Amino acid sequence: MKYLTIIPARGGSKGLPNKNIKLVNGKPLICWSIEHSVNCHLIDRTIVSTDSEEIAAISRNSGAEVPSLRPENLAEDQTPTEPVLLHVLSELRQKEGYEPDAVVLLQPTSPLRKKGRLHEAINYFEQTHADSLVSVSPNHHFFWKNLHSPEALYNYEKRPRRQDIKESDRWFQENGSIYITKKEILYSVRNRLGGKIAAFLMDEQESIEIDSELDCKIVEFLIRELKYEN
């Protein structure tokens, strides 16, 4: 199969200004995802979708393609990711006649992926004969909802030890790191997930998303301590 990686990176960010190009361990944040894709030999092309000339220049220097800047109507605060993916596919088809078999979505705010992780995800995607894939991480089972009238989502009268929870009863959190979608699914349901969905398990430390200065410090610490490399 022919896999196209798309990395969406808007120029604007209210919570953490210039987030996508903020230096993380001496490297612009987006470069961690670009390099992870470029270094995976199963990926045919790596494209960054951005409305920023600065992000485009940094992305090209890191080995990604930026065929054109994203139009303003697809670079607003509330713009979903799927129209951005479809825009890239449409541009490539119209201008180059290029059609991938599947789209890999890597979000730059999730920079911690162990070396070879994308290769593993693609292999799992193919082995499970899935139509789409979402990366997940294990999460604690003891959830509550509704602060004003607390309701436990587990039996607190028979609180189990975490290690005794059966795998079939475990909860997993979508970590936003890796998505894979067959082109036909993306076109038909206009969603990154559809058809037969595979869940690809990643470590908890790989699942930190950068939205604040504190997140940056945690990620930099983990990169140094765990010696992350692409």
Side-chain angles (χ1 to χ4, degrees):
M1 291 181 67
K2 186 160 54 177
Y3 292 91
L4 166 70
T5 292
I6 301 176
I7 302 173
R10 278 196 321 121
S13 175
K14 292 182 178 178
L16 189 61
N18 298 314
K19 176 171 60 179
N20 288 314
I21 54 176
K22 182 176 177 60
L23 290 183
V24 175
N25 209 45
K27 186 187 301 183
L29 177 60
I30 193 171
C31 296
W32 289 93
S33 294
I34 291 172
E35 291 176 5
H36 197 83
S37 176
V38 170
N39 290 338
C40 178
H41 75 272
L42 298 178
I43 297 296
D44 187 49
R45 297 174 69 175
T46 300
I47 288 182
V48 168
S49 172
T50 183
D51 60 323
S52 164
E53 290 282 7
E54 187 177 9
I55 292 176
I58 290 172
S59 298
R60 292 186 181 109
N61 287 337
S62 295
E65 300 177 55
V66 187
S68 62
L69 291 184
R70 191 193 304 180
E72 290 184 7
N73 66 307
L74 291 178
E76 299 172 351
D77 288 342
Q78 305 304 318
T79 301
T81 299
E82 279 77 6
V84 174
L85 302 179
L86 291 166
H87 172 260
V88 173
L89 287 178
S90 176
E91 289 280 292
L92 291 176
R93 182 179 56 201
Q94 292 176 14
K95 295 180 179 179
E96 303 179 23
Y98 178 84
E99 294 268 13
D101 297 304
V103 170
V104 174
L105 166 62
L106 298 184
Q107 302 196 121
T109 47
S110 299
L112 294 182
R113 302 177 187 92
K114 289 184 177 179
K115 189 173 183 178
R117 206 48 124 186
L118 183 52
H119 189 285
E120 294 174 8
I122 291 173
N123 283 341
Y124 187 70
F125 177 71
E126 295 184 352
Q127 290 165 7
T128 55
H129 304 288
D131 297 306
S132 56
L133 174 146
V134 56
S135 60
V136 299
S137 62
N139 209 322
H140 302 314
H141 191 71
F142 309 121
F143 287 102
W144 291 70
K145 67 177 184 178
N146 193 352
L147 288 177
H148 301 293
S149 180
E151 180 182 346
L153 301 182
Y154 68 99
N155 186 347
Y156 58 82
E157 294 178 344
K158 297 180 180 179
R159 181 189 300 270
R161 298 188 307 163
R162 287 176 185 157
Q163 60 267 38
D164 293 336
I165 299 174
K166 296 184 295 183
E167 184 172 347
S168 59
D169 292 331
R170 292 184 186 274
W171 289 40
F172 298 90
Q173 178 180 355
E174 187 172 330
N175 69 2
S177 184
I178 301 173
Y179 299 89
I180 305 175
T181 317
K182 285 184 177 177
K183 176 190 64 179
E184 292 80 8
I185 292 294
L186 191 54
Y187 279 140
S188 62
V189 302
R190 303 182 73 82
N191 194 304
R192 72 192 77 176
L193 296 174
K196 180 183 178 182
I197 301 173
F200 178 69
L201 185 62
M202 297 176 70
D203 294 341
E204 190 172 358
Q205 65 264 27
E206 292 179 272
S207 304
I208 298 173
E209 297 184 74
I210 291 184
D211 287 311
S212 67
E213 290 286 354
L214 177 59
D215 295 333
C216 287
K217 293 183 185 302
I218 292 172
V219 165
E220 287 187 324
F221 172 79
L222 289 173
I223 289 172
R224 292 194 300 271
E225 292 298 308
L226 302 177
K227 297 179 172 59
Y228 272 91
E229 56 182 76
N230 285 320

